[in-house]
Structures are given as structure tokens and as C-alpha cells.
Amino acid sequence: MTTTQDPAVAAEKCTADFRRNPHPVYAALRDTAPVCPMKPPHGVETYLITRYEDARAALSDPRLSKDMYGGMDAYRRIFGDSSVSLDDNMLNADAPKHTRLRKLVNSEFTPRRVEALRPKIQDIVDRLLDACPTGEALDLLPAFAFPLPITVICELLGVPPEERTHMQHLSTTVAQTGFSKESKQAQQKAEEDLHAYFTDLIARKHEHPGEDLLSALTEAQGKDGGLTENELVSTAFLLMFAGHKTTAYLIGNAVYHFLANPAQLRAVQEDPELVGPAVEELVRYDGSVESATFRYATEDVEIGGTRIPKGALVQIALLSANRDPLKFDAPDEFDVRRPGNAQSAHLGFGHGSHYCLGAPLARLEMQLALTSLFSRFPGIALAAPEAGPKWMEVPFPAFRGLAELPVVLAPQK
């Protein structure tokens, strides 16, 4: 058993070149340092896991805790003294608290409620595409990819239309990845504003409940074992935050890769039944969640022959695991007809007890978005293919997404 690995290659993870194309660095890590200690810009040593089998095991290892309160010192060193009031949710909890919170939300966030949103999501997709100009360069991210999921999650939660722009602005501020004093202060202020907003919205749901998910969770508050007030506020934030950026970036990544691979685009245009498998392949090939959220070791843990010491932070590179050639044949190829790529094979939505609660909603949004976009505009093309994609450049990766996606929408090929 080893205790350290050469971290030199891991340092590349924070460069602009890595942001443009992280996959060669991850391939080198899988070969030479699959469980690698690195010190990112936030200054807290973190063990990075890159192989599929190691990642899958780590995602369900109870010794790798998600309880941010137990690892508060490390989290404060990374994020500063930001408000923890928005973190009192299932994402940042272990069993038995995680079990209780997830069961409560699961009881209302049902497949039936998600499927009931299908006509509403289709209507949102249609209205957004109606507003898109044709025959000229258009950045598809602000025009379509970003407004679609934030509108859907606001519909699900029952956020009034006139309050959604403000919500999106606060969410964007919280999501920014920066470790400067100014960045942390801006994030803290946005978290405080979001906490105040959801507290007020929940009070309104108490007075005037609707048919939305937040109203249902609010009505369940008074029942035995129901969500506390702060748990409900934090859960509303989690559903909004997790249901927005991840799906928005995934839509952008998907459209780009289809346009960069016209044979794959033709395949789904000719056979719409391939859209479902194509979504799974896209999540595997270039998903929007590059790394799972932090865990920390509650005791010494051996993974992949490396000892992770008690108290160390752990980051699981989902993007790398999903291109592990030990798991997937020709993993660097985008293939909508990839055999055996069942929905449970890739780790893009996680694994174990923290598997993404909103995965069914993300799948539905993706399928409706791609089907409508490519059927309405079969001649869609990149506006400047020679320039190559412009990926987000951030100090340390959490999301994998484009900074812009200039396309030309054409109703004919």
C-alpha cells in the first residue's frame, strides 16, 4: 500500500489548457496516479480519484463522509465563513439524517410528478425556440440552454414568474468558483439573500399552498419527522441550484458534441428512439458534473492501493471515471449506439445513496430539448466551427460546460 503519488500531473488540473481539454490529463492520472494527492487553489490537500471502479466504490463508501458539519474546518478553509444555513440538506448529510431527508423529499418528488411536467416542459421548450432568430449567429446558452432548466425548476417549486430572474442571478453568484476574499464575500451575500427569499416564499406557501413541490413539502412540515424550517429552506435551495446549472451545461455540451459529430446527429434525427440512449451517452462522454462534491475521510481509507488519511478531503472525478477504458470500450468516442451503456453504467448522476434525485427530470428535459431543437432546425450548425469550443475557465473545476455556444438555426438542411 502506498501513501502518496507523484502530484506533478495533478497540478495541470488547474490550467487553462486543462479546462479546454481535461481528458488527456485524466488519462495520465488513471495510468500513473489513480488516487492522487493534490493541493488546489483553495489550499486544502485533496485526494483525487480517477478510475471507474475506485470512483464507484468511493461514491458509496460510508467512511467518506458527506456531512459538511463534521468537516467544517476544512470547508471553512475552502469557502470561508459563508452561511451554512443553506447546507442543511441531504447533499451534505450522512445516514441516518440523509436517509430521513431523502425519504421525505422522495415521497413528493415522485416519477409521477416529474412525468406530469412533460406538457409544461414541452411548452417552455417551444416558447424558447419560438423566440430564437434563424439564419444568424445566436448564442444558444442564454437563449435556450440556461432559461429552460431554471424555468422548469421554478415551475416545480412554485416560484412566481416575476421572481425568477432575481433567483437566477443569486444562483449564478453562489455557483461561481473563486477563492479570493471578494468572491467569498459575494457568495456569502448571495446565500444570505437566497435564504431570506426561500424563507419568505415558504411562509407564503403556508398561507396559500399550490400544487407545486414546495407546497407539498411545506404541508408535510407539521407531520412527525417532517423537515424543519431550515431543512426546508436548504432543500428548496438544493433543488433549485442542482436542477439549474447541471442541466443547462449538459444541454450545451450535448448540442456542441452533436454538431461536432454530424453522423451522430443524423442518427438521432433519423431515429428519434435513439434520443434516450444518446442522453446517457452524452452524460458519460462529457457530462456537466466534472467532479462529485467533496467528501472527507472519517478514518484512514485505502482506495486503489493508496492510503487516504483520516480527515483528508476526497474528490471523485466523474468525468474521468466515465472515460475509463477498463470499463468502456473506445471511451473517447461519442457513440449514440454504444452497446451495453445502460443508464446505471456511467457515473454521471453519481452512485449509491447520494445518486442524483433529479436525474429523471434532467433526462426528460434533455430528451425534449434535443428532440425539439433538432426536429425544428434540422440544418442547425456551429456559427464558427473553425474557432473551436470555448469552455469555461475557472480556478478549480466542479462543472464542465461551455462559456458560449454560437450556432445558426436553420429549418432546412
Side-chain angles (χ1 to χ4, degrees):
M1 179 177 69
T2 58
T3 56
T4 60
Q5 297 278 6
D6 180 0
V9 69
E12 297 182 38
K13 200 169 189 288
C14 304
T15 67
D17 285 344
F18 174 85
R19 298 310 316 135
R20 286 188 285 272
N21 185 13
H23 301 293
V25 175
Y26 280 134
L29 282 169
R30 288 193 302 267
D31 288 342
T32 62
V35 181
C36 182
M38 58 183 295
K39 186 167 284 189
H42 54 62
V44 180
E45 186 174 59
T46 303
Y47 282 75
L48 180 69
I49 298 173
T50 53
R51 287 181 181 167
Y52 180 92
E53 292 300 338
D54 293 338
R56 193 172 189 274
L59 286 167
S60 58
D61 193 324
R63 299 170 297 175
L64 299 180
S65 174
K66 291 284 290 162
D67 179 8
M68 71 163 292
Y69 292 92
M72 185 58 72
D73 289 343
Y75 281 92
R76 281 203 173 108
R77 288 174 63 191
I78 298 174
F79 300 111
D81 293 322
S82 60
S83 169
V84 298
S85 57
L86 290 178
D87 297 314
D88 194 10
N89 54 53
M90 70 184 82
L91 181 65
N92 301 304
D94 298 329
K97 181 176 180 177
H98 171 268
T99 308
R100 176 179 66 85
L101 294 177
R102 187 170 179 112
K103 182 178 180 181
L104 288 167
V105 179
N106 253 336
S107 66
E108 299 297 342
F109 195 8
T110 60
R112 181 178 179 182
R113 187 184 291 275
V114 171
E115 183 58 31
L117 283 170
R118 180 183 290 270
K120 175 61 71 173
I121 297 173
Q122 185 64 63
D123 179 63
I124 296 167
V125 167
D126 291 340
R127 285 189 284 110
L128 288 172
L129 292 179
D130 285 344
C132 289
T134 60
E136 60 186 68
L138 164 77
D139 188 346
L140 200 66
L141 296 184
F144 183 63
F146 275 82
L148 172 58
I150 191 62
T151 305
V152 171
I153 201 67
C154 285
E155 288 283 344
L156 180 69
L157 292 175
V159 176
E162 65 274 14
E163 299 172 9
R164 294 172 184 177
T165 301
H166 179 59
M167 280 262 296
Q168 184 172 357
H169 171 72
L170 293 176
S171 174
T172 299
T173 303
V174 172
Q176 67 186 11
T177 306
F179 304 107
S180 67
K181 181 179 179 181
E182 293 75 16
S183 177
K184 290 178 180 178
Q185 288 175 340
Q187 288 172 320
Q188 181 175 354
K189 178 63 166 59
E191 288 178 6
E192 292 170 353
D193 290 347
L194 276 171
H195 189 277
Y197 172 78
F198 279 119
T199 299
D200 175 70
L201 181 61
I202 289 165
R204 284 182 273 159
K205 299 295 182 185
H206 275 296
E207 292 293 323
H208 304 286
E211 298 299 319
D212 54 89
L213 176 60
L214 192 54
S215 290
L217 292 173
T218 300
E219 290 181 4
Q221 259 192 296
K223 299 177 182 178
D224 185 40
L227 296 168
T228 67
E229 186 73 14
N230 200 60
E231 287 171 347
L232 182 54
V233 169
S234 182
T235 296
F237 164 74
L238 173 64
L239 294 171
M240 182 275 297
F241 184 81
H244 176 208
K245 297 289 186 181
T246 53
T247 306
Y249 288 131
L250 186 56
I251 292 171
N253 294 2
V255 173
Y256 169 75
H257 286 301
F258 268 122
L259 298 184
N261 295 272
Q264 301 300 310
L265 176 56
R266 284 196 300 272
V268 297
Q269 287 176 324
E270 293 170 1
D271 183 2
E273 294 297 318
L274 284 175
V275 172
V279 168
E280 302 306 320
E281 171 67 348
L282 286 158
V283 175
R284 182 205 67 82
Y285 180 74
D286 216 0
S288 58
V289 180
E290 181 161 339
S291 295
T293 50
F294 288 113
R295 287 158 167 80
Y296 72 95
T298 58
E299 59 184 81
D300 288 356
V301 179
E302 182 182 351
I303 295 178
T306 294
R307 183 181 68 85
I308 299 175
K310 179 181 179 179
L313 288 182
V314 175
Q315 196 160 28
I316 302 165
L318 306 179
L319 202 66
S320 174
N322 285 333
R323 290 213 187 183
D324 188 343
L326 297 177
K327 177 63 180 178
F328 301 98
D329 293 333
D332 294 324
E333 294 181 8
F334 171 42
D335 182 5
V336 298
R337 291 190 173 92
R338 178 175 295 276
N341 191 40
Q343 293 184 353
S344 59
H346 66 73
L347 301 177
F349 291 121
H351 173 68
S353 63
H354 282 276
Y355 183 83
C356 177
L357 184 73
L361 180 59
R363 288 183 170 111
L364 178 58
E365 290 179 70
M366 284 287 294
Q367 291 172 18
L368 295 178
L370 295 177
T371 299
S372 296
L373 179 67
F374 295 144
S375 62
R376 183 182 290 204
F377 303 109
I380 182 175
L382 294 170
E386 68 285 351
K390 184 177 180 181
W391 297 94
M392 290 190 303
E393 295 185 9
V394 293
F396 193 66
F399 298 123
R400 166 75 170 162
L402 292 160
E404 59 182 39
L405 181 55
V407 302
V408 176
L409 300 179
Q412 301 295 328
K413 291 184 181 180

